[in-house]
Amino acid sequence: MNAEKKQIDTLDESELFRLGGKKSNLVIVPAEIKYQHIKIEDFDKPVPAIAYNGGIYSLFRASNNWSEVEKLTSRLSADYLITVIPKGWAIWVFEY
Protein backbone atom coordinates (compact mmCIF):
# COMPACT_ATOMS: atom_id res chain seq x y z
CA MET A 1 0.00 0.00 0.00
CA ASN A 2 2.78 2.48 0.85
CA ALA A 3 4.54 1.66 -2.42
CA GLU A 4 1.32 2.45 -4.30
CA LYS A 5 0.93 5.77 -2.48
CA LYS A 6 4.57 6.63 -3.12
CA GLN A 7 4.12 5.90 -6.84
CA ILE A 8 1.11 8.23 -7.00
CA ASP A 9 2.94 11.00 -5.13
CA THR A 10 5.83 10.88 -7.59
CA LEU A 11 3.94 10.93 -10.90
CA ASP A 12 5.76 12.93 -13.53
CA GLU A 13 3.83 15.87 -15.00
CA SER A 14 3.72 14.10 -18.38
CA GLU A 15 1.74 11.28 -16.73
CA LEU A 16 -1.04 13.50 -15.39
CA PHE A 17 -3.36 13.03 -18.35
CA ARG A 18 -4.07 9.54 -19.64
CA LEU A 19 -6.40 8.08 -22.21
CA GLY A 20 -7.61 4.75 -20.98
CA GLY A 21 -9.26 1.82 -22.59
CA LYS A 22 -9.34 -1.91 -22.30
CA LYS A 23 -6.23 -2.35 -24.47
CA SER A 24 -4.04 0.72 -24.08
CA ASN A 25 -3.04 3.77 -22.07
CA LEU A 26 -1.83 6.83 -23.97
CA VAL A 27 -0.30 10.01 -22.58
CA ILE A 28 -2.05 13.11 -23.89
CA VAL A 29 -0.98 16.73 -23.80
CA PRO A 30 -3.23 19.02 -21.69
CA ALA A 31 -3.27 21.60 -24.50
CA GLU A 32 -5.04 19.02 -26.69
CA ILE A 33 -8.10 19.04 -24.41
CA LYS A 34 -11.01 21.43 -24.87
CA TYR A 35 -13.45 21.75 -21.96
CA GLN A 36 -17.16 22.22 -22.70
CA HIS A 37 -20.68 21.16 -21.67
CA ILE A 38 -22.95 18.74 -23.53
CA LYS A 39 -26.57 17.65 -23.28
CA ILE A 40 -27.09 13.98 -22.43
CA GLU A 41 -30.39 12.16 -22.74
CA ASP A 42 -32.20 11.75 -19.38
CA PHE A 43 -30.25 14.63 -17.77
CA ASP A 44 -32.01 17.95 -17.15
CA LYS A 45 -28.88 20.10 -17.31
CA PRO A 46 -25.82 20.04 -19.55
CA VAL A 47 -22.89 18.08 -18.08
CA PRO A 48 -19.18 18.93 -18.16
CA ALA A 49 -17.32 17.34 -21.05
CA ILE A 50 -13.93 17.19 -22.71
CA ALA A 51 -13.21 17.20 -26.42
CA TYR A 52 -10.09 15.20 -27.25
CA ASN A 53 -8.76 13.78 -30.50
CA GLY A 54 -12.11 14.06 -32.29
CA GLY A 55 -14.12 12.46 -29.47
CA ILE A 56 -16.34 13.85 -26.72
CA TYR A 57 -16.07 12.50 -23.15
CA SER A 58 -18.60 13.37 -20.43
CA LEU A 59 -17.74 13.61 -16.75
CA PHE A 60 -18.44 10.27 -15.11
CA ARG A 61 -16.98 10.61 -11.62
CA ALA A 62 -14.30 12.43 -9.63
CA SER A 63 -12.33 10.90 -6.79
CA ASN A 64 -9.40 11.71 -4.53
CA ASN A 65 -8.56 8.00 -4.18
CA TRP A 66 -6.50 6.41 -6.97
CA SER A 67 -7.56 2.89 -5.94
CA GLU A 68 -11.20 3.90 -6.40
CA VAL A 69 -10.39 5.37 -9.83
CA GLU A 70 -8.76 2.09 -10.89
CA LYS A 71 -11.70 0.08 -9.54
CA LEU A 72 -14.26 2.25 -11.35
CA THR A 73 -12.42 2.28 -14.66
CA SER A 74 -11.89 -1.49 -14.59
CA ARG A 75 -15.68 -1.86 -14.74
CA LEU A 76 -16.19 0.51 -17.67
CA SER A 77 -16.90 -0.99 -21.07
CA ALA A 78 -16.47 2.34 -22.92
CA ASP A 79 -13.22 4.18 -23.50
CA TYR A 80 -12.44 6.76 -20.86
CA LEU A 81 -10.15 9.67 -20.10
CA ILE A 82 -8.57 10.38 -16.71
CA THR A 83 -7.43 13.89 -15.84
CA VAL A 84 -5.88 15.31 -12.70
CA ILE A 85 -8.00 17.87 -10.87
CA PRO A 86 -7.13 19.89 -7.75
CA LYS A 87 -8.79 17.34 -5.46
CA GLY A 88 -7.69 14.13 -7.20
CA TRP A 89 -8.77 12.67 -10.55
CA ALA A 90 -11.72 13.02 -12.92
CA ILE A 91 -12.98 10.13 -15.03
CA TRP A 92 -14.51 11.11 -18.37
CA VAL A 93 -16.46 8.51 -20.43
CA PHE A 94 -16.57 8.47 -24.24
CA GLU A 95 -19.90 9.71 -25.61
CA TYR A 96 -19.36 10.19 -29.34
Side-chain angles (χ1 to χ4, degrees):
M1 179 95 166
N2 286 339
E4 182 180 313
K5 182 173 178 3
K6 183 176 181 178
Q7 180 184 5
I8 292 168
D9 291 342
T10 60
L11 284 176
D12 184 81
E13 186 173 333
S14 66
E15 298 178 75
L16 296 181
F17 294 83
R18 301 176 186 182
L19 177 65
K22 294 299 176 190
K23 297 183 180 178
S24 66
N25 287 319
L26 305 172
V27 177
I28 61 175
V29 178
E32 296 174 341
I33 296 173
K34 181 181 175 189
Y35 295 92
Q36 59 190 45
H37 285 81
I38 61 172
K39 180 71 175 140
I40 296 180
E41 192 175 320
D42 298 330
F43 282 71
D44 293 334
K45 297 181 180 181
V47 297
I50 288 178
Y52 171 73
N53 199 25
I56 303 295
Y57 298 78
S58 64
L59 181 63
F60 173 67
R61 181 96 39 100
S63 176
N64 63 357
N65 181 317
W66 181 251
S67 295
E68 180 182 16
V69 169
E70 288 181 315
K71 184 177 178 181
L72 289 167
T73 56
S74 71
R75 296 177 183 170
L76 292 173
S77 59
D79 285 342
Y80 58 88
L81 177 78
I82 300 172
T83 60
V84 173
I85 58 174
K87 294 184 179 181
W89 297 271
I91 303 168
W92 309 82
V93 177
F94 181 77
E95 291 293 335
Y96 54 88

